[in-house]
Amino acid sequence: MTRAYNFCAGPATLPESVLRQARDEMLDWRGTGMSVMEMSHRSDEFVEIAETAEKDLRELAGVSDDYAVLFMQGGASSQFSTIPLNLLGDKGSADYVNTGIWSKKAIAEASRYGKVNVAASSEDSGFTTIPDQASWQTNADAAYLHYTPNETIGGLEFDFIPESPSVPLVADMSSTMLSRPVDVSKFGLIYAGAQKNIGPSGLVVVIIRKDLLGKARKETPTMMNYQVIADNGSMYNTPATYSWYLAGLTFQWLKGQGGVTAMGEVNLRKARKLYGFIDTNDFYANPIDPRFRSWMNVPFTLADDALNGEFLKGANARGLLNLAGHRSVGGMRASIYNAMPEAGVDALIEYMTEFAKERG
Amino acid sequence: MTRAYNFCAGPATLPESVLRQARDEMLDWRGTGMSVMEMSHRSDEFVEIAETAEKDLRELAGVSDDYAVLFMQGGASSQFSTIPLNLLGDKGSADYVNTGIWSKKAIAEASRYGKVNVAASSEDSGFTTIPDQASWQTNADAAYLHYTPNETIGGLEFDFIPESPSVPLVADMSSTMLSRPVDVSKFGLIYAGAQKNIGPSGLVVVIIRKDLLGKARKETPTMMNYQVIADNGSMYNTPATYSWYLAGLTFQWLKGQGGVTAMGEVNLRKARKLYGFIDTNDFYANPIDPRFRSWMNVPFTLADDALNGEFLKGANARGLLNLAGHRSVGGMRASIYNAMPEAGVDALIEYMTEFAKERG
C-alpha cells in the first residue's frame, strides 16, 4: 500500500511532507553527520531546532511574552496531576467542567490533590451538548477553572471560550490545538498532547501565563514543576528531542498552509461536509448537538450495528483506516485533524455513500 | 558529510542500520500505509511492535517473569521522584551511594520525600573511585539501596554489584544498560533513560520486581504509579510509541551483534584501547581509579587546557564529534556506547596521537 487515509484519533496521521523531510534527514541532518535524535540537546544545532519550534508555535497560536511555552513529557495524562500540583496553591479547590471521558479523567486525578467542584456537567445528556455558561456554578475563590474544549472520544467541542475574568482558565486542548484561531490571552494555561495536531506521542506542549509559575506544592516532583521546566527552557533534563523536532516540522508545514486561520477554514469545510453527509443520509447518525459538534473527531453510527465489522473491513480495503470508535463507546469515529487532507474526507464520504446504498 | 563518529554522552549515536530501517519505514510501515508514529498504540500492529521489543529486551538482559518491564516517559530524572514515591512505603528512609553528579541528583530528589542515608560516598576523592562495600553504612530497615552503576559525567563505573540480601537494590543504569551482562535477579529495580544504549530520548525503561509493585504513596501521580503502568502494559495513556519502536529496532540490532555478552567483549576492547592509549601518552590523562573506569564514558584532559578549543576544532573537522566534557567538569569526554563502532575509537586514537605529536 502507499499512504492510506488514517482516521486514528491519536497517534494520528501526520503531514506527508513532514514525514518525507524526517525520512530524508534521518541519517544526516543538514550535513552534520548525525540524526537529530543523536544530537546533544545542548548542541547549537538542536537548540536552534528547539527555539525555532517554539518561535513558530508562538507565531501560529499567537502566544505573547506573558506566557512560557514548555515542551514536556508524559502526555496530557501527566498534566492531570501536574496542574493541581502546580496551581491549587493555598486555595485548595478548583472548578472543573465535565463534558466527557477526558474531563472525567482530569477531574478524577485532580480530586486526589484537592477539592474539585464540578461547576457544570453534560453527563445527563450523555455528553451530547455543552451546558450554557449562565448555568455554571463556579466559585470565585477557585484556584482555576478547567475544561476540555474538545472531547476526543465523544466528539463534542466548545464553540466558545468560557468567560473567567477572575479565575485562571485551564484547557486541555490535546485534540483541538492549532486547528483554528484561539485567543490565548483568555487562558491561564493551555496543554496539549502532541499526538493529534502537533507530532508524535511522547511530547506535551504547555502554554502557561508566567504569573502562574512558582506556585508548585512542596511535594511536586521536580520534573513536574512548571517553574523549573520554564527556568531551564524545557531542558532541566534531556527532553524528547526527536518529538520536539517533528513538532517543529509540523509547525513549519502549518505555516506553509497559511497558519491556523487558513487551517480553520479547511477544517470547518471538512467537518461540514462530513456532518452534512451524515445528516442527510438515513443510514448514518451522529448524536451531538449540531452547535457543539467537533471539527476534529466525528463519531457516527450505522443504522445496524451488526454491519460495523463489514463497514470497517471494506474501509480498510480502500485504505480508509482506524474508523472504529473508541472501545468505550463503540460505533465509528473519523478523526479529521489538520493533517487529514480534504480528499481523505471526500474518499470517506464516497465509501460511506456506496456502503449505505449496498447494505442500507 | 556522511555519517560522523558521534561521541555524545546522550542523546547518543545509534546503530546506522537502525536509522536506515527507521528511514525506510518512515512513510509506510510494512504495507500498512502509515508511519509507526501514526499508529494507534492499541492497534494490532503497534502492540506487536511493543510486545516484541519487551520480549527482546527480556531475552537480551535476562529478565525473568518475576519482573515487570515498563516503558515510561520523563527520563531518569522523573524516576528520581518516582522511585521514592513508589518504594519508600512505611519505611520512610532509603540508602543511597554517592559516586558523582547523577547520584547526587537522585539523592537530592529522594530527600524531598523521605530520609536519605548516604551509605557511602567517594566525594572526598573527587569521585575518582568507588568505596569498598565493607565500609558502607547501610541500614537494615531501609526501603531500598540506590546506586548509580555508571556515572555518565564522571566516567566512574562499578565493576561489582553491591551485595544487598535483605534490602531491594535499585540502580540507575541509564548509561550502562545492555553494555555488558548483568545479573538482573540481584536487583529490585533497574531504570535507564533510553538515549544512550537503547534509543531516542523521551523513553525510560524500568525493570521492577513484581513484589515491589502496589506500594505507591497516596499522593503519587497516577502516571508515576508503577502498579498502574504495569497493569496497563505501559499503555495507561498513549506511550512514546515511536521511541518504543526505535528501542525495539535497537534490541533487534543488539541480538544480531550476539547480545550483551558479545557486546560486552567489544565494549571492553574499545575501552581498554582508549584508556591504554591515554595512559601511555604523556599528553593525555584520565583521573579515575583504573579498576573503576567506565567502559562507556571516557573523560580525559589535555596536558594544556588552552589547547582544548583547537583539539575540538580539529576533531570536528575529521568527523569526530561531541568530544567536549560536560559543562560542569570541562576537559574532554568520549562516550563509546554500544553503537560506537570500534573503528570510531581507532579513528579517535589516531587523531589524538597526531594532535599530541604536533602540539604536545
Side-chain angles (χ1 to χ4, degrees), chain A residues 11-12 15 20 36 40 44 51 56 66 99 111 130 133 140 144 147 171 181 190 197 210-211 221 283 285 300 315 322:
Chain A
R20 285 187 189 280
V36 172
S40 168
D44 292 345
E51 288 179 351
D56 286 341
D66 295 338
T99 51
S111 302
I130 310 273
Q133 201 184 347
Y144 57 89
Y147 81 116
I190 290 169
N197 273 333
K210 288 177 181 169
D211 64 286
F283 189 73
F300 61 91
N322 289 311

Side-chain angles (χ1 to χ4, degrees), chain B residues 108-323:
Chain B
E109 189 72 5
S111 301
R112 302 178 57 231
Y113 299 99
K115 191 176 168 318
V116 168
N117 168 48
V118 178
S121 172
S122 61
E123 191 152 17
D124 284 351
S125 77
F127 298 123
T128 55
T129 191
I130 309 274
D132 192 88
Q133 202 185 346
S135 70
W136 296 12
Q137 303 287 320
T138 53
N139 290 318
D141 64 343
Y144 57 89
L145 168 61
H146 180 284
Y147 82 117
T148 311
N150 184 65
E151 287 281 357
T152 318
I153 295 172
L156 182 72
E157 185 164 8
F158 280 71
D159 72 341
F160 64 95
I161 298 174
E163 292 297 328
S164 189
S166 58
V167 167
L169 189 61
V170 174
D172 176 359
M173 291 207 187
S174 293
S175 49
T176 185
M177 183 88 179
L178 298 176
S179 68
R180 53 164 111 182
V182 164
D183 182 356
V184 169
S185 75
K186 299 213 166 179
F187 294 86
L189 189 154
I190 290 168
Y191 63 108
Q195 67 272 19
K196 284 96 159 62
N197 272 332
I198 295 176
S201 59
L203 179 74
V204 54
V205 170
V206 176
I207 300 171
I208 180 171
R209 219 173 56 214
K210 288 177 180 167
D211 65 286
L212 296 175
L213 296 169
K215 299 174 188 294
R217 248 184 227 196
K218 201 167 59 66
E219 69 266 28
T220 307
T222 300
M223 283 287 295
M224 285 185 164
N225 186 316
Y226 289 135
Q227 177 81 63
V228 172
I229 305 303
D231 286 349
N232 289 279
S234 302
M235 295 195 192
Y236 173 76
N237 79 334
T238 313
T241 52
Y242 197 67
S243 304
W244 195 334
Y245 152 75
L246 286 164
L249 295 187
T250 305
F251 299 151
Q252 289 273 330
W253 169 82
L254 187 47
K255 285 172 73 174
Q257 302 294 307
V260 291
T261 303
M263 188 52 67
E265 287 163 11
V266 176
N267 285 331
L268 176 58
R269 202 162 60 227
K270 279 153 54 185
R272 278 197 178 143
K273 249 189 206 180
L274 186 48
Y275 287 114
F277 168 76
I278 290 170
D279 285 344
T280 55
N281 188 304
D282 289 343
F283 189 72
Y284 302 100
N286 168 285
I288 305 297
D289 179 348
R291 185 182 151 194
F292 300 115
R293 282 170 165 176
S294 168
W295 293 13
M296 297 284 103
N297 311 98
V298 183
F300 60 91
T301 50
L302 277 53
D304 180 358
D305 267 351
L307 293 171
N308 285 354
E310 196 184 324
F311 179 87
L312 290 168
K313 200 174 156 194
N316 280 340
R318 289 186 180 216
L320 305 169
L321 307 185
N322 288 311
L323 284 163

Side-chain angles (χ1 to χ4, degrees), chain A residues 86-113:
Chain A
N86 278 270
L87 301 189
L88 273 179
D90 301 334
K91 306 257 186 185
S93 84
D95 289 342
Y96 276 71
V97 180
N98 178 17
T99 51
I101 290 173
W102 289 106
S103 298
K104 286 166 84 90
K105 286 195 181 224
I107 289 167
E109 190 70 7
S111 302
R112 302 178 59 233
Y113 299 99

Side-chain angles (χ1 to χ4, degrees), chain A residues 298-309:
Chain A
V298 183
F300 61 91
T301 51
L302 277 54
D304 180 358
D305 267 350
L307 293 172
N308 285 353

